PDB file of all heavy atoms in Angstrom:
ATOM      1  N   GLN A  47      22.276  14.292  -0.817  1.00 97.00           N
ATOM      2  CA  GLN A  47      23.154  13.183  -1.183  1.00 97.00           C
ATOM      3  C   GLN A  47      23.272  13.005  -2.696  1.00 97.00           C
ATOM      4  O   GLN A  47      23.995  12.132  -3.149  1.00 97.00           O
ATOM      5  CB  GLN A  47      22.711  11.888  -0.482  1.00 97.00           C
ATOM      6  CG  GLN A  47      21.393  11.304  -0.955  1.00 97.00           C
ATOM      7  CD  GLN A  47      21.054  10.033  -0.187  1.00 97.00           C
ATOM      8  OE1 GLN A  47      20.898  10.056   1.026  1.00 97.00           O
ATOM      9  NE2 GLN A  47      20.965   8.906  -0.883  1.00 97.00           N
ATOM     10  N   CYS A  48      22.582  13.866  -3.472  1.00 96.00           N
ATOM     11  CA  CYS A  48      22.631  13.752  -4.933  1.00 96.00           C
ATOM     12  C   CYS A  48      23.695  14.707  -5.447  1.00 96.00           C
ATOM     13  O   CYS A  48      23.375  15.785  -5.963  1.00 96.00           O
ATOM     14  CB  CYS A  48      21.274  14.091  -5.538  1.00 96.00           C
ATOM     15  SG  CYS A  48      19.989  12.979  -4.965  1.00 96.00           S
ATOM     16  N   ILE A  49      24.961  14.307  -5.310  1.00 95.00           N
ATOM     17  CA  ILE A  49      26.033  15.256  -5.614  1.00 95.00           C
ATOM     18  C   ILE A  49      26.339  15.334  -7.107  1.00 95.00           C
ATOM     19  O   ILE A  49      27.203  16.084  -7.529  1.00 95.00           O
ATOM     20  CB  ILE A  49      27.323  14.934  -4.816  1.00 95.00           C
ATOM     21  CG1 ILE A  49      27.850  13.559  -5.227  1.00 95.00           C
ATOM     22  CG2 ILE A  49      27.074  15.001  -3.320  1.00 95.00           C
ATOM     23  CD1 ILE A  49      29.252  13.305  -4.708  1.00 95.00           C
ATOM     24  N   HIS A  50      25.654  14.533  -7.918  1.00 93.00           N
ATOM     25  CA  HIS A  50      25.832  14.628  -9.368  1.00 93.00           C
ATOM     26  C   HIS A  50      25.128  15.896  -9.869  1.00 93.00           C
ATOM     27  O   HIS A  50      24.326  16.496  -9.157  1.00 93.00           O
ATOM     28  CB  HIS A  50      25.246  13.389 -10.054  1.00 93.00           C
ATOM     29  CG  HIS A  50      23.843  13.078  -9.640  1.00 93.00           C
ATOM     30  ND1 HIS A  50      23.535  12.491  -8.426  1.00 93.00           N
ATOM     31  CD2 HIS A  50      22.656  13.282 -10.254  1.00 93.00           C
ATOM     32  CE1 HIS A  50      22.238  12.338  -8.331  1.00 93.00           C
ATOM     33  NE2 HIS A  50      21.669  12.811  -9.419  1.00 93.00           N
ATOM     34  N   ASN A  51      25.423  16.292 -11.093  1.00 90.00           N
ATOM     35  CA  ASN A  51      24.768  17.502 -11.588  1.00 90.00           C
ATOM     36  C   ASN A  51      23.619  17.165 -12.536  1.00 90.00           C
ATOM     37  O   ASN A  51      23.306  16.002 -12.748  1.00 90.00           O
ATOM     38  CB  ASN A  51      25.776  18.458 -12.220  1.00 90.00           C
ATOM     39  CG  ASN A  51      26.495  17.801 -13.387  1.00 90.00           C
ATOM     40  OD1 ASN A  51      26.195  16.661 -13.733  1.00 90.00           O
ATOM     41  ND2 ASN A  51      27.425  18.506 -13.972  1.00 90.00           N
ATOM     42  N   GLY A  52      22.980  18.191 -13.035  1.00 90.00           N
ATOM     43  CA  GLY A  52      21.825  17.981 -13.894  1.00 90.00           C
ATOM     44  C   GLY A  52      20.559  18.538 -13.270  1.00 90.00           C
ATOM     45  O   GLY A  52      19.479  18.427 -13.829  1.00 90.00           O
ATOM     46  N   PHE A  53      20.696  19.184 -12.130  1.00 95.00           N
ATOM     47  CA  PHE A  53      19.533  19.779 -11.472  1.00 95.00           C
ATOM     48  C   PHE A  53      19.422  21.252 -11.872  1.00 95.00           C
ATOM     49  O   PHE A  53      20.436  21.910 -12.047  1.00 95.00           O
ATOM     50  CB  PHE A  53      19.674  19.687  -9.952  1.00 95.00           C
ATOM     51  CG  PHE A  53      19.789  18.282  -9.438  1.00 95.00           C
ATOM     52  CD1 PHE A  53      21.030  17.689  -9.249  1.00 95.00           C
ATOM     53  CD2 PHE A  53      18.652  17.540  -9.171  1.00 95.00           C
ATOM     54  CE1 PHE A  53      21.141  16.382  -8.781  1.00 95.00           C
ATOM     55  CE2 PHE A  53      18.753  16.236  -8.709  1.00 95.00           C
ATOM     56  CZ  PHE A  53      19.998  15.661  -8.519  1.00 95.00           C
ATOM     57  N   GLY A  54      18.227  21.717 -11.990  1.00 96.00           N
ATOM     58  CA  GLY A  54      18.035  23.165 -12.133  1.00 96.00           C
ATOM     59  C   GLY A  54      17.979  23.698 -13.549  1.00 96.00           C
ATOM     60  O   GLY A  54      17.853  24.899 -13.735  1.00 96.00           O
ATOM     61  N   LEU A  55      18.066  22.809 -14.563  1.00 94.00           N
ATOM     62  CA  LEU A  55      18.054  23.300 -15.947  1.00 94.00           C
ATOM     63  C   LEU A  55      16.791  24.082 -16.261  1.00 94.00           C
ATOM     64  O   LEU A  55      16.823  25.060 -17.001  1.00 94.00           O
ATOM     65  CB  LEU A  55      18.202  22.128 -16.906  1.00 94.00           C
ATOM     66  CG  LEU A  55      19.628  21.565 -17.000  1.00 94.00           C
ATOM     67  CD1 LEU A  55      19.653  20.232 -17.723  1.00 94.00           C
ATOM     68  CD2 LEU A  55      20.550  22.573 -17.684  1.00 94.00           C
ATOM     69  N   HIS A  56      15.665  23.669 -15.703  1.00 94.00           N
ATOM     70  CA  HIS A  56      14.405  24.378 -15.966  1.00 94.00           C
ATOM     71  C   HIS A  56      14.254  25.584 -15.040  1.00 94.00           C
ATOM     72  O   HIS A  56      13.867  26.657 -15.464  1.00 94.00           O
ATOM     73  CB  HIS A  56      13.210  23.446 -15.782  1.00 94.00           C
ATOM     74  CG  HIS A  56      13.219  22.313 -16.744  1.00 94.00           C
ATOM     75  ND1 HIS A  56      12.435  22.291 -17.881  1.00 94.00           N
ATOM     76  CD2 HIS A  56      13.925  21.160 -16.758  1.00 94.00           C
ATOM     77  CE1 HIS A  56      12.654  21.167 -18.536  1.00 94.00           C
ATOM     78  NE2 HIS A  56      13.555  20.458 -17.874  1.00 94.00           N
ATOM     79  N   THR A  57      14.588  25.407 -13.758  1.00 94.00           N
ATOM     80  CA  THR A  57      14.324  26.450 -12.773  1.00 94.00           C
ATOM     81  C   THR A  57      15.332  27.592 -12.877  1.00 94.00           C
ATOM     82  O   THR A  57      14.959  28.762 -12.855  1.00 94.00           O
ATOM     83  CB  THR A  57      14.388  25.858 -11.342  1.00 94.00           C
ATOM     84  OG1 THR A  57      13.624  24.656 -11.326  1.00 94.00           O
ATOM     85  CG2 THR A  57      13.820  26.818 -10.322  1.00 94.00           C
ATOM     86  N   PHE A  58      16.614  27.231 -12.942  1.00 96.00           N
ATOM     87  CA  PHE A  58      17.651  28.272 -12.915  1.00 96.00           C
ATOM     88  C   PHE A  58      18.376  28.409 -14.253  1.00 96.00           C
ATOM     89  O   PHE A  58      19.326  29.167 -14.363  1.00 96.00           O
ATOM     90  CB  PHE A  58      18.673  27.959 -11.810  1.00 96.00           C
ATOM     91  CG  PHE A  58      18.069  27.921 -10.432  1.00 96.00           C
ATOM     92  CD1 PHE A  58      17.930  26.730  -9.740  1.00 96.00           C
ATOM     93  CD2 PHE A  58      17.628  29.097  -9.828  1.00 96.00           C
ATOM     94  CE1 PHE A  58      17.379  26.700  -8.463  1.00 96.00           C
ATOM     95  CE2 PHE A  58      17.081  29.069  -8.547  1.00 96.00           C
ATOM     96  CZ  PHE A  58      16.942  27.869  -7.868  1.00 96.00           C
ATOM     97  N   LYS A  59      17.965  27.637 -15.244  1.00 96.00           N
ATOM     98  CA  LYS A  59      18.605  27.656 -16.570  1.00 96.00           C
ATOM     99  C   LYS A  59      20.113  27.381 -16.482  1.00 96.00           C
ATOM    100  O   LYS A  59      20.904  27.927 -17.247  1.00 96.00           O
ATOM    101  CB  LYS A  59      18.379  29.009 -17.294  1.00 96.00           C
ATOM    102  CG  LYS A  59      16.942  29.482 -17.325  1.00 96.00           C
ATOM    103  CD  LYS A  59      16.074  28.610 -18.220  1.00 96.00           C
ATOM    104  CE  LYS A  59      14.616  29.057 -18.137  1.00 96.00           C
ATOM    105  NZ  LYS A  59      13.698  27.931 -17.964  1.00 96.00           N
ATOM    106  N   GLU A  60      20.499  26.622 -15.513  1.00 95.00           N
ATOM    107  CA  GLU A  60      21.901  26.196 -15.436  1.00 95.00           C
ATOM    108  C   GLU A  60      21.955  24.836 -14.745  1.00 95.00           C
ATOM    109  O   GLU A  60      20.994  24.411 -14.116  1.00 95.00           O
ATOM    110  CB  GLU A  60      22.770  27.220 -14.711  1.00 95.00           C
ATOM    111  CG  GLU A  60      22.334  27.523 -13.292  1.00 95.00           C
ATOM    112  CD  GLU A  60      23.220  28.568 -12.619  1.00 95.00           C
ATOM    113  OE1 GLU A  60      24.442  28.387 -12.608  1.00 95.00           O
ATOM    114  OE2 GLU A  60      22.661  29.555 -12.095  1.00 95.00           O
ATOM    115  N   GLU A  61      23.110  24.178 -14.880  1.00 95.00           N
ATOM    116  CA  GLU A  61      23.258  22.835 -14.346  1.00 95.00           C
ATOM    117  C   GLU A  61      23.868  22.889 -12.956  1.00 95.00           C
ATOM    118  O   GLU A  61      24.998  23.325 -12.790  1.00 95.00           O
ATOM    119  CB  GLU A  61      24.152  22.012 -15.275  1.00 95.00           C
ATOM    120  CG  GLU A  61      23.515  20.706 -15.636  1.00 95.00           C
ATOM    121  CD  GLU A  61      24.409  19.837 -16.495  1.00 95.00           C
ATOM    122  OE1 GLU A  61      25.500  20.264 -16.880  1.00 95.00           O
ATOM    123  OE2 GLU A  61      23.979  18.716 -16.758  1.00 95.00           O
ATOM    124  N   LEU A  62      23.127  22.429 -11.969  1.00 97.00           N
ATOM    125  CA  LEU A  62      23.614  22.469 -10.588  1.00 97.00           C
ATOM    126  C   LEU A  62      23.694  21.043 -10.044  1.00 97.00           C
ATOM    127  O   LEU A  62      23.055  20.133 -10.569  1.00 97.00           O
ATOM    128  CB  LEU A  62      22.626  23.269  -9.719  1.00 97.00           C
ATOM    129  CG  LEU A  62      22.323  24.700 -10.136  1.00 97.00           C
ATOM    130  CD1 LEU A  62      21.225  25.269  -9.230  1.00 97.00           C
ATOM    131  CD2 LEU A  62      23.570  25.567 -10.061  1.00 97.00           C
ATOM    132  N   THR A  63      24.457  20.896  -8.978  1.00 97.00           N
ATOM    133  CA  THR A  63      24.409  19.618  -8.251  1.00 97.00           C
ATOM    134  C   THR A  63      23.212  19.679  -7.301  1.00 97.00           C
ATOM    135  O   THR A  63      22.643  20.757  -7.059  1.00 97.00           O
ATOM    136  CB  THR A  63      25.678  19.411  -7.403  1.00 97.00           C
ATOM    137  OG1 THR A  63      25.705  20.413  -6.390  1.00 97.00           O
ATOM    138  CG2 THR A  63      26.936  19.483  -8.253  1.00 97.00           C
ATOM    139  N   GLY A  64      22.871  18.538  -6.720  1.00 97.00           N
ATOM    140  CA  GLY A  64      21.752  18.500  -5.773  1.00 97.00           C
ATOM    141  C   GLY A  64      21.940  19.460  -4.609  1.00 97.00           C
ATOM    142  O   GLY A  64      21.055  20.286  -4.325  1.00 97.00           O
ATOM    143  N   PRO A  65      23.090  19.384  -3.915  1.00 98.00           N
ATOM    144  CA  PRO A  65      23.284  20.301  -2.781  1.00 98.00           C
ATOM    145  C   PRO A  65      23.256  21.775  -3.200  1.00 98.00           C
ATOM    146  O   PRO A  65      22.767  22.620  -2.448  1.00 98.00           O
ATOM    147  CB  PRO A  65      24.669  19.908  -2.251  1.00 98.00           C
ATOM    148  CG  PRO A  65      24.832  18.479  -2.666  1.00 98.00           C
ATOM    149  CD  PRO A  65      24.134  18.353  -3.980  1.00 98.00           C
TER     150      PRO A  65
END
Side-chain angles (χ1 to χ4, degrees):
Chain A
Q47 69 180 61
C48 299
I49 63 168
H50 51 284
N51 60 3
F53 300 93
L55 284 168
H56 297 259
T57 313
F58 299 109
K59 310 291 176 226
E60 59 181 307
E61 231 183 356
L62 303 175
T63 65

